[in-house]
Amino acid sequence: MAAHLKKRVYEEFSKVSQQVTLEEVPAKKLRLTKPSKSAALHIDLCKATNPTDALQYLLNFARKPVEAESVEGVVRILLEHYYKESDNSVRLKIASLLGLLSKTRGFAPDCIIDDAINTLNNEKSHQVLAQLLDTLLIIGTQLPDKIAVIQRLIDVACKHLSSTYFGVRNKCLQLLGCLGTVDKPLSKETDVGPGAQTSPVRDVQSIISDYFQDQDPRVRTAAIKAMLQLHERGMKIQQTIYNQACKLLSDDYEQVRSAAVQMVWVLSQLYPESIVPIPSSNEEIRLVDDSFGKICHMVSDGSWVVRVQAAKLLGSMHQVSPHFLEQTLDKKLMSDLRRKRTAHERAKELYASGEFSSGRRWADDAPKEKVDTSGVNLIDSGACGAFVHGLEDEMYEVRIAAVEALCSLAQSSPSFAEKCLDFLVDMFNDEIEEVRLQSIHVLRQISTHITLREDQLDTVLAVLEDSSRDIREALHELLCYTNVSTKDCIQLALLELLKNLTKYPTDRNSVWKCLKFLGARHPTLVLPIVPELLSTHPYFDTPEPDMDDPAYIAVLVLVFNAAKSCPTMPALFSDHTFRHYAYLRDSLSHLVPHLRLPGRKQTASSGLEASGVGSGSLESAQNFLQDSLIRVSVLQNLETPGAQELLEFTIRDLQRLGELQTELAGSADFCATYLHCQLLLTKALQEKLWTMAVPLCLKQNAKVSTATRQILDETYKLEFLYSGLETQQIATIHNVRLQAKALQLILTARSKRGVDRVLGVCEKFLQDVESFQRLFMTELPHFQDSFVEKLLELMPRLTACKPLDLVKILQTTLRQSRFIHLKLPEQIHRASATIIEPTGESDNPLKFTTGLVVALDIDATLEHVQDPQTTVKVQVLYPDGQSHIIHPKPGDFRTPGPGRVRLITQVYLSHSAWTEACQIEVRLLLAYSSSSSKQSASKPAWNESMDGLPTSESCIEGTIHLSKPVKVFIMPKPARR
């Protein structure tokens, strides 16, 4: 018995001791650590048996990102192997890696500056030395506020400027240009320039300018670029450098001349009114005029790169004197740019020489046309006719640059615009399409200053026979804004445009638009030729023309637009002309204006327009829009009696306002769509399904589900179809979208069984709420008592509760949330598209063999579409329900004007055999992705090996209809066997 009791006591004691031991021994914690980058690199470099292996390890390491906390350890390992390595290529790669690592975001490179400078002391290789200086430059740009570090780096650069290797001197000059300061002089103790004596104090500009005369052209180029770098950093370059820069314009090397041209231009902008002497004379001239003449001379340079640069810079020199400007259009030196000797000076010289006319030589005392060599030219004779040389250059890049420079100078000088008109018109016959197109665009920009003569207009209109559609449409655009001088010019233009219409029927809309503006600009010139244009006779009736003829419509568009400003013109119209006016006014209202015709009954729509109701003043329309929004803003709760009726009436008024006032169409449609979302949301929350069991209200459930989807679609239209929105409007749209998603979540919880299905939807909704808080934190004060504010207050409770409890909270919050009023920005534009071709009017089907393709030409105009090259798609919908979405090429988009884009592309159609022809629908879509801005991947800043890789295209979340569908007949035929 005693033994048994002893055994039980021992067992109890052992259990207690085990419990004490378990309580005393703490649990082991696991800590996950990343492998050390420096240790891995050290192991790799130690394994290398030859320089080739070490170089390969370094190249592989350069492709991997390095965290900011690991950079310093990696740098220490690299420096350790740098001192051990004897191969120059390995040390060069290590020096390059040091510079790349110092650019790592979050790393402060000042901790490695001492080691980087110390490596320069014992380095014998010039290439490695140049790379180390480049690394110091990178470190210096990362530490712009560390004045002591910058001064050390400048001292290092001055010390190594005496190197015999051009690459080292280049890097030193680059470092001085990027880091040098003007306010603090530099000690010249260690700087020994080419042929320079030791001086106690030098500033950075004088040190750099010493190397303008370096024996190596690459160093001379680097010196000029370093000086330009100082200018870009906001330091004023000294005027004394001007003469040195002018001497470098005649350098033997292209790179030096190119940099010198830029230097001369910079000084002409800094000191335009300074007076500089003309060499070998007592005359003086403004610096901007002198530099203009020297840059004009460079338009005839032997290098086409220098010629392009000189021509571009001429276009920005607007302060030059007019007589210098006009000299660029004449190859002969004008008399007003010569300094002539007076008659007294000539007689004195003749008397001193002892020579008079002896009469033995024929006309020895006659005045001579050639320039007197003893006269002083104020401009270099090689600079005469600079633009003439540029426009006749063999390289089309130079010709384009000269055309653009002419445009820039002509826009600021109407007299110069008239003088250069002939030269620009001649460029319409250039052999390169790009030059012709640029010349047309340039003439369009200066069209306000010029009036075309008949011979010039003849040259311009000859371009209408060009096979390029872009050229022809650009010329139509030019004629819209050009003034002509006589009625013969109007007739000539009309005749050539009608020939263009016959040869290229697809230009119909562009030609009609051109004639609309041509008639509106020249009513007095159109008036004398109206009987001839309309084929009317004072005594005899003439046959009525065919209204289906595009050429006749073109003539009517010209005449009707001229008649708007000429009240006597309608008296020349025939009876059928009045009928045709009424027809075109309804069918082509954008081309035919409203006319007050005597004795004619006004229609309702024309009466509205004439009284100013339809096209009233913009100010009254804006006031009506604001009054409508104020009337709605009084509503605090949309469930009050009469609130929904008021909302419906306001939506109707805004939609009508957008139709009548095109300037406010975007704002009115935006407000109407937003209020429609609120109306749908209110009606959905008032349905009976919230108080009834689910099996008893299936019909109401489907109705609310449809309304919810419609609200979501409308919110995406509000966000992506309108431009000019501010952050507050986007936040308001997201608030409505969250309400729709909450409603959708409630419907899902009521209709689906099982917690697992609802759980995923709840998590996604909570993520959307957190995303709203993160994106629109600054806009939250504008959302008092709103749905999103109540959600953010309940967020801790929502994240912890069960899905069914969350659904109940959402249902209560939706009913209690306040209506958020919309605050409009200054201007809102609605993105839109109009398909011009195909018109959808043809009954002749496109026939093609089954299995093959047929090309359908698409011509559309886009208005206010942001980034159309990535967002605009073409949708083809077949009768059997198949839908194809085509991505147009970036080259298919053209930009004729601000806010307008032209899409000209081809869509390839294919289908199986049909028994008869059917219609397909073609429309334009706007693709959107609300998460594209959140998915921007961050790339390591120092890793240059990823720079060449294309960025991945963000996934498309949905599409919005951008244009009305156009129906086209097609007929796939079975293949013949």
Side-chain angles (χ1 to χ4, degrees):
M1 185 71 181
H4 180 69
L5 183 61
K6 187 176 182 181
K7 183 178 180 182
R8 288 187 61 186
V9 171
Y10 177 76
E11 288 176 356
E12 293 292 336
F13 178 76
S14 60
K15 288 181 181 179
V16 173
S17 62
Q18 284 180 0
Q19 291 178 0
V20 173
T21 306
L22 290 173
E23 291 175 0
E24 290 178 354
V25 177
K28 292 184 179 180
K29 294 182 179 179
L30 296 177
R31 187 172 59 136
L32 299 177
T33 59
K34 296 180 180 179
S36 172
K37 298 279 184 180
S38 55
L41 179 62
H42 178 70
I43 293 171
D44 287 341
L45 291 176
C46 289
K47 289 192 297 184
T49 56
N50 52 48
T52 305
D53 292 344
L55 194 59
Q56 188 62 46
Y57 286 130
L58 291 173
L59 290 172
N60 293 335
F61 176 77
R63 299 188 182 98
K64 302 173 184 176
V66 179
E67 296 79 11
E69 57 271 13
S70 305
V71 171
E72 187 173 356
V74 172
V75 169
R76 300 300 173 200
I77 295 297
L78 289 173
L79 288 172
E80 179 184 344
H81 285 272
Y82 176 88
Y83 291 121
K84 295 179 182 178
E85 187 60 54
S86 59
D87 188 79
N88 290 342
S89 60
V90 178
R91 294 206 311 280
L92 183 68
K93 184 60 183 175
I94 291 176
S96 173
L97 281 176
L98 292 177
L100 294 174
L101 287 166
S102 64
K103 291 193 291 185
T104 304
R105 190 176 301 172
F107 172 69
D110 50 353
C111 60
I112 64 171
I113 189 72
D114 294 328
D115 296 309
I117 293 177
N118 291 335
T119 54
L120 293 167
N121 298 330
N122 300 323
E123 185 55 58
K124 303 299 181 185
S125 171
H126 293 305
Q127 289 87 352
V128 179
L129 197 60
Q131 185 60 55
L132 287 171
L133 287 168
D134 187 65
T135 298
L136 291 178
L137 173 61
I138 294 172
I139 294 175
T141 53
Q142 301 292 319
L143 304 170
D145 301 329
K146 302 293 180 66
I147 305 300
V149 173
I150 299 297
Q151 191 60 41
R152 283 187 65 189
L153 295 178
I154 292 175
D155 293 339
V156 169
C158 293
K159 176 182 177 182
H160 289 86
L161 270 173
S162 57
S163 172
T164 57
Y165 181 59
F166 79 92
V168 175
R169 300 203 298 277
N170 280 0
K171 290 299 179 183
C172 291
L173 290 169
Q174 188 179 355
L175 197 147
L176 288 176
C178 294
L179 303 179
T181 54
V182 175
D183 52 353
K184 181 173 288 190
L186 304 178
S187 173
K188 193 67 170 131
E189 297 173 356
T190 57
D191 179 30
V192 183
Q197 300 294 327
T198 304
S199 57
V201 172
R202 298 285 304 280
D203 68 285
V204 66
Q205 291 193 28
S206 61
I207 292 176
I208 293 176
S209 61
D210 285 345
Y211 290 86
F212 283 3
Q213 309 300 326
D214 193 272
Q215 61 182 358
D216 195 300
R218 292 165 290 192
V219 178
R220 296 199 294 271
T221 306
I224 302 174
K225 289 183 177 179
M227 195 71 75
L228 292 172
Q229 184 67 32
L230 289 178
H231 169 70
E232 290 177 5
R233 291 173 53 214
M235 300 181 187
K236 193 170 184 179
I237 301 176
Q238 301 166 3
Q239 187 181 344
T240 54
I241 296 173
Y242 179 71
N243 291 330
Q244 293 176 282
C246 291
K247 291 178 182 178
L248 292 173
L249 291 175
S250 57
D251 197 276
D252 293 338
Y253 291 87
E254 170 190 325
Q255 294 86 354
V256 180
R257 297 197 303 274
S258 176
V261 169
Q262 186 74 23
M263 188 79 247
V264 169
W265 177 82
V266 166
L267 289 167
S268 73
Q269 304 302 306
L270 292 175
Y271 307 98
E273 301 299 329
S274 298
I275 303 299
V276 295
I278 297 177
S280 67
S281 73
N282 295 326
E283 296 295 323
E284 292 181 334
I285 192 175
R286 294 165 67 222
L287 189 145
V288 65
D289 293 335
D290 186 58
S291 60
F292 183 80
K294 287 179 167 54
I295 296 177
C296 282
H297 183 69
M298 301 307 292
V299 176
S300 304
D301 192 85
S303 167
W304 71 270
V305 177
V306 178
R307 298 200 299 270
V308 169
Q309 186 180 15
K312 286 182 177 179
L313 292 177
L314 286 178
S316 59
M317 302 183 73
H318 300 287
Q319 296 172 307
V320 70
S321 302
H323 50 279
F324 280 88
L325 198 57
E326 293 166 6
Q327 178 63 69
T328 59
L329 300 175
D330 194 347
K331 291 185 179 179
K332 287 179 62 178
L333 185 63
M334 295 179 180
S335 59
D336 57 353
L337 289 180
R338 301 176 194 159
R339 166 68 171 87
K340 305 178 186 67
R341 293 175 299 160
T342 63
H344 179 72
E345 290 173 340
R346 291 197 300 270
K348 182 179 180 181
E349 181 182 355
L350 193 63
Y351 176 77
S353 64
E355 292 185 5
F356 288 90
S357 174
S358 61
R360 293 180 179 179
R361 291 174 296 174
W362 177 258
D364 59 351
D365 59 345
K368 297 178 181 180
E369 177 60 27
K370 66 179 183 179
V371 180
D372 187 3
T373 56
S374 60
V376 178
N377 295 341
L378 302 184
I379 187 172
D380 191 353
S381 59
C384 298
F387 282 124
V388 180
H389 291 296
L391 295 174
E392 295 174 352
D393 199 277
E394 61 178 348
M395 304 297 292
Y396 82 93
E397 293 92 348
V398 182
R399 301 200 296 274
I400 288 179
V403 166
E404 292 174 348
L406 271 178
C407 171
S408 179
L409 293 172
Q411 282 179 315
S412 59
S413 174
S415 61
F416 183 69
E418 294 179 4
K419 290 181 173 63
C420 70
L421 179 58
D422 285 324
F423 298 94
L424 288 174
V425 170
D426 286 342
M427 296 306 293
F428 285 16
N429 298 320
D430 195 274
E431 59 183 1
I432 302 296
E433 178 181 337
E434 190 176 348
V435 179
R436 299 197 300 271
L437 190 60
Q438 188 62 32
S439 304
I440 296 171
H441 288 322
V442 162
L443 200 59
R444 156 74 181 87
Q445 294 178 42
I446 65 173
S447 59
T448 55
H449 302 305
I450 59 175
T451 299
L452 289 178
R453 302 189 308 269
E454 189 171 352
D455 59 315
Q456 294 170 335
L457 182 64
D458 196 17
T459 306
V460 169
L461 293 173
V463 185
L464 287 174
E465 298 182 2
D466 199 296
S467 60
S468 171
R469 184 171 188 164
D470 293 338
I471 295 285
R472 298 196 306 272
E473 291 187 351
L475 193 67
H476 297 157
E477 188 83 12
L478 167 64
L479 292 175
C480 288
Y481 301 97
T482 302
N483 298 316
V484 296
S485 53
T486 63
K487 66 182 180 65
D488 293 333
C489 293
I490 294 290
Q491 283 183 307
L492 179 62
L494 178 61
L495 181 62
E496 293 299 325
L497 286 169
L498 293 180
K499 288 181 182 178
N500 174 202
L501 192 59
T502 305
K503 189 175 181 179
Y504 301 103
T506 56
D507 292 354
R508 182 181 64 180
N509 290 282
S510 183
V511 169
W512 288 350
K513 177 188 171 185
C514 173
L515 288 169
K516 169 190 173 182
F517 285 93
L518 199 63
R521 292 179 76 89
H522 306 91
T524 56
L525 298 180
V526 175
L527 179 62
I529 59 175
V530 167
E532 183 180 351
L533 295 178
L534 298 180
S535 301
T536 58
H537 195 274
Y539 306 118
F540 303 107
D541 284 338
T542 54
E544 181 176 346
D546 183 13
M547 274 303 297
D548 292 332
D549 183 11
Y552 177 62
I553 294 177
V555 173
L556 289 182
V557 168
L558 173 73
V559 172
F560 290 151
N561 281 278
K564 184 178 181 182
S565 305
C566 187
T568 60
M569 193 179 295
L572 303 174
F573 294 172
S574 303
D575 289 338
H576 62 260
T577 307
F578 290 108
R579 294 198 306 272
H580 295 169
Y581 165 75
Y583 171 74
L584 291 179
R585 179 64 189 146
D586 289 336
S587 59
L588 297 175
S589 58
H590 62 289
L591 294 175
V592 179
H594 166 71
L595 300 178
R596 288 180 174 272
L597 301 178
R600 297 283 163 176
K601 184 179 180 180
Q602 300 287 333
T603 62
S605 60
S606 61
L608 282 173
E609 292 176 4
S611 62
V613 176
S615 56
S617 66
L618 182 62
E619 184 179 357
S620 60
Q622 287 176 337
N623 293 335
F624 178 79
L625 177 62
Q626 295 296 335
D627 292 343
S628 300
L629 293 179
I630 292 172
R631 186 168 64 245
V632 176
S633 65
V634 179
L635 302 175
Q636 295 295 330
N637 188 358
L638 296 181
E639 295 184 2
T640 55
Q644 295 184 19
E645 288 78 6
L646 176 61
L647 211 56
E648 290 174 351
F649 291 145
T650 306
I651 292 171
R652 184 198 61 188
D653 292 344
L654 291 175
Q655 289 173 345
R656 183 62 179 153
L657 176 65
E659 295 173 0
L660 295 176
Q661 195 73 37
T662 55
E663 291 85 352
L664 292 177
S667 301
D669 290 344
F670 181 82
C671 296
T673 307
Y674 174 75
L675 294 178
H676 186 235
C677 290
Q678 295 287 356
L679 184 62
L680 288 174
L681 193 63
T682 306
K683 288 184 177 180
L685 291 173
Q686 288 179 345
E687 288 292 338
K688 298 179 180 179
L689 63 93
W690 309 113
T691 57
M692 298 171 61
V694 176
L696 301 178
C697 55
L698 294 178
K699 184 177 180 181
Q700 289 84 352
N701 202 353
K703 185 178 178 181
V704 173
S705 179
T706 303
T708 305
R709 285 196 299 270
Q710 188 176 354
I711 294 171
L712 287 174
D713 292 340
E714 296 288 348
T715 58
Y716 285 118
K717 287 182 182 178
L718 287 172
E719 183 175 1
F720 297 103
L721 206 57
Y722 296 87
S723 58
L725 301 181
E726 298 173 357
T727 311
Q728 184 176 350
Q729 285 82 43
I730 297 176
T732 307
I733 295 168
H734 278 253
N735 176 59
V736 178
R737 190 178 300 160
L738 276 179
Q739 289 177 290
K741 288 183 176 180
L743 194 59
Q744 203 172 41
L745 172 59
I746 296 171
L747 291 174
T748 304
R750 288 174 61 87
S751 58
K752 291 185 178 181
R753 295 181 180 179
V755 181
D756 295 338
R757 295 183 179 182
V758 183
L759 189 59
V761 184
C762 293
E763 291 177 354
K764 180 67 172 64
F765 178 78
L766 293 177
Q767 290 175 4
D768 291 338
V769 177
E770 291 175 355
S771 176
F772 182 95
Q773 184 180 16
R774 186 173 62 254
L775 292 175
F776 306 109
M777 179 66 72
T778 57
E779 303 297 331
L780 290 179
H782 301 289
F783 290 88
Q784 294 181 357
D785 295 332
S786 65
F787 175 72
V788 70
E789 187 192 45
K790 294 179 182 296
L791 281 185
L792 292 175
E793 291 176 357
L794 298 171
M795 199 63 186
R797 182 181 168 190
L798 294 177
T799 53
C801 68
K802 296 179 180 179
L804 296 180
D805 295 334
L806 185 143
V807 169
K808 293 178 181 178
I809 295 173
L810 289 180
Q811 186 172 340
T812 307
T813 310
L814 275 174
R815 287 181 171 276
Q816 295 176 351
S817 58
R818 186 175 66 88
F819 169 61
I820 299 297
H821 307 300
L822 190 63
K823 183 180 179 182
L824 280 181
E826 293 183 1
Q827 188 70 37
I828 296 180
H829 296 289
R830 188 182 193 275
S832 61
T834 304
I835 298 178
I836 302 172
E837 293 290 340
T839 59
E841 300 171 354
S842 176
D843 293 332
N844 298 323
L846 287 174
K847 297 180 180 180
F848 61 96
T849 304
T850 301
L852 301 180
V853 296
V854 62
L856 178 66
D857 292 323
I858 302 291
D859 184 2
T861 56
L862 311 176
E863 300 280 347
H864 306 295
V865 179
Q866 297 177 338
D867 194 15
Q869 296 183 356
T870 57
T871 57
V872 175
K873 316 295 178 188
V874 181
Q875 183 191 43
V876 180
L877 187 62
Y878 291 94
D880 59 356
Q882 292 187 37
S883 176
H884 294 170
I885 295 181
I886 297 95
H887 305 263
K889 296 179 293 185
D892 294 338
F893 294 91
R894 296 159 175 81
T895 309
R900 292 191 297 124
V901 177
R902 186 80 176 274
L903 173 62
I904 301 176
T905 186
Q906 279 190 333
V907 173
Y908 295 102
L909 309 175
S910 183
H911 209 279
S912 57
W914 296 352
T915 56
E916 60 182 17
C918 289
Q919 289 179 334
I920 62 168
E921 286 188 358
V922 180
R923 73 162 79 229
L924 296 183
L925 302 177
L926 183 72
Y928 64 86
S929 175
S930 59
S931 58
S932 59
S933 59
K934 309 170 192 175
Q935 294 174 347
S936 56
S938 59
K939 187 186 70 171
W942 67 279
N943 195 346
E944 293 183 345
S945 61
M946 298 172 65
D947 289 347
L949 298 178
T951 55
S952 60
E953 185 180 354
S954 59
C955 59
I956 296 175
E957 188 173 329
T959 55
I960 302 171
H961 291 171
L962 195 59
S963 70
K964 295 180 180 178
V966 175
K967 295 183 178 181
V968 181
F969 268 106
I970 66 170
M971 177 60 191
K973 300 183 298 182
R976 295 181 180 179
R977 298 187 181 276

